[in-house]
Amino acid sequence: MSNDEIFAAAYREHYWAVSRYVARRLQGRADEVEEVVAEVFTVAWRRRADLPAAPLPWLYGVARNCLANAVRGYGRRRRLVDRLGNDETAHGRHVVDSPDAEAPGAWVHEALARLSPADQEVLRLAAWEELGADEIAVALGCGIRAAVMRLHRARRRLRAEIDRMRPAAAALPASADAALCKDDRHG
């Protein structure tokens, strides 16, 4: 199979997984999702000779880098808009949820948001993308042992954050507790 055919197969097989990966990380910025996904596959096309046999974790690593570039660009644009005084909140278009509008599990997302970006990413790779330790290592560009340790520490910090937010032990269903503490599938 030629490099072009390998790329085409990877694109067909993994386009939607990469799209979901990017969309989860750009919540509320749907207009940027397609742009970032296009950049991911542009990089993959340029490096099609380097595509591994199991390309999805590698594509997640590329997506992670493309997302970092997009986030930096978004920050630059926000600062420019703020300097120009054209911020939506300045014109009264800021919408605030009511206190009773908490979505189920929102506190988990809040706890996750309080963690470092590195902890958030390793937890998302394990939970959202359902990657094992060996695949997380590829996506993060580190060794398997480092990936296992990062995941373990991130889970511990998430548990501590949840405990700070929900001091009553009964607030966390047993199934969620078990999911946080489960062993890695591949490592």
Side-chain angles (χ1 to χ4, degrees):
M1 199 184 292
S2 74
N3 288 339
D4 293 355
E5 293 169 329
I6 292 169
F7 169 81
Y11 180 85
R12 281 190 306 274
E13 187 174 342
H14 301 299
Y15 176 85
W16 291 112
V18 172
S19 293
R20 286 188 301 272
Y21 174 93
V22 172
R24 287 182 193 119
R25 286 153 180 82
L26 289 178
Q27 292 178 347
R29 293 170 32 205
D31 55 317
E32 293 183 59
V33 172
E34 287 184 32
E35 189 176 317
V36 172
V37 172
E39 181 63 24
V40 169
F41 283 102
T42 299
V43 170
W45 171 256
R46 281 191 225 124
R47 298 193 51 209
R48 62 191 178 277
D50 300 330
L51 278 173
L56 187 58
W58 183 84
L59 288 168
Y60 285 155
V62 172
R64 192 167 153 256
N65 293 333
C66 291
L67 279 163
N69 290 338
V71 167
R72 281 191 297 274
Y74 180 78
R76 285 190 297 269
R77 285 189 301 278
R78 287 295 323 146
R79 287 189 298 277
L80 177 61
V81 167
D82 289 345
R83 279 196 311 260
L84 294 174
N86 194 20
D87 189 10
E88 288 181 2
T89 57
H91 297 288
R93 290 188 293 236
H94 186 69
V95 178
V96 178
D97 289 334
S98 66
D100 59 344
E102 182 174 324
W107 56 272
V108 175
H109 292 286
E110 184 180 337
L112 183 64
R114 292 179 181 198
L115 299 178
S116 72
D119 283 350
Q120 290 178 34
E121 182 62 11
V122 73
L123 289 168
R124 287 174 176 152
L125 287 169
W128 290 356
E129 313 312 333
E130 299 179 351
L131 298 185
D134 53 340
E135 296 166 315
I136 290 172
V138 172
L140 296 179
C142 64
I144 293 174
R145 287 182 184 198
V148 168
M149 186 55 71
R150 287 180 190 182
L151 182 58
H152 171 74
R153 289 177 179 163
R155 283 179 173 153
R156 190 178 65 218
R157 286 189 276 267
L158 179 60
R159 160 71 23 216
E161 195 58 47
I162 288 171
D163 289 345
R164 274 192 287 283
M165 291 174 60
R166 303 272 191 209
L172 183 64
S175 61
D177 191 34
L180 288 173
C181 300
K182 71 175 183 150
D183 290 335
D184 298 308
R185 293 183 297 154
H186 297 89

